[in-house]
Amino acid sequence: MNIDTYESNTGLRIVATLIDYILIFCFTIVYIYQFGEPSEDGGFKVSGLKGLVPFLFWFLYLPICEWKFCSTLGHWTVGLKIISENGEELTIGQTIKRRLSDIIDINWCFGLVAFVVVKSTDKKQRIGDIIAKTLVVKK
């Protein structure tokens, strides 16, 4: 892939991320209200093994879908896919590395870090893509 012609697809990436995290957020909220117990402050809480379910959903939805399908529902909806820099098939390790850095890239400062890094790098990668050696491209 010629880096000079590589597009950041910033707008599409933002929409894809919003779709993915809204889906995860909605699942988590519904799960907590359906299977949680009332808390002292009037809300609901899950504890013990029940508390692992939202994480398992996150893991199945993001790293596993990206590994198996090179896409999440958000990426698929806007016509993007994740590929390995070296052209080989994505590995589960790459997708896990990519998503563990969401804590810095996306969740901290509402995605500002990812936006700045994508705009600043030659290959238009966020921190997770740099660490995992992946690229986000149009299908």
Side-chain angles (χ1 to χ4, degrees):
M1 175 176 292
N2 184 350
I3 293 173
D4 294 333
T5 61
Y6 184 74
E7 300 174 27
S8 68
N9 303 307
T10 305
L12 295 176
R13 291 171 77 161
I14 290 169
V15 171
T17 300
L18 286 171
I19 291 169
D20 290 337
Y21 275 94
I22 287 170
L23 182 67
I24 291 167
F25 180 74
C26 288
F27 170 84
T28 302
I29 295 299
V30 169
Y31 175 77
I32 290 170
Y33 278 107
Q34 288 295 312
F35 299 102
E37 299 169 3
S39 62
E40 300 83 36
D41 63 1
F44 289 85
K45 65 179 179 178
V46 291
S47 56
L49 289 177
K50 286 184 187 180
L52 290 177
V53 172
F55 171 76
L56 290 174
F57 179 77
W58 173 90
F59 184 76
L60 289 171
Y61 181 70
L62 290 174
I64 298 296
C65 283
E66 286 180 354
W67 171 53
K68 286 304 221 178
F69 307 113
C70 298
S71 190
T72 61
L73 183 60
H75 285 82
W76 177 81
T77 301
V78 299
L80 297 174
K81 67 179 181 176
I82 298 108
I83 62 170
S84 183
E85 276 185 345
N86 62 12
E88 295 177 7
E89 281 190 35
L90 284 174
T91 66
I92 186 69
Q94 282 177 295
T95 60
I96 289 171
K97 285 177 193 175
R98 186 172 189 281
R99 287 305 174 171
L100 284 177
S101 58
D102 282 1
I103 296 165
I104 298 168
D105 271 337
I106 298 167
N107 298 339
W108 191 72
C109 286
F110 304 102
L112 181 62
V113 172
F115 182 81
V116 170
V117 173
V118 165
K119 289 294 191 184
S120 303
T121 58
D122 291 339
K123 296 179 187 176
K124 308 302 179 199
Q125 296 166 293
R126 62 185 185 87
I127 294 170
D129 291 316
I130 294 168
I131 292 169
K133 296 182 170 73
T134 57
L135 301 167
V136 178
V137 298
K138 285 188 177 178
K139 289 184 192 177

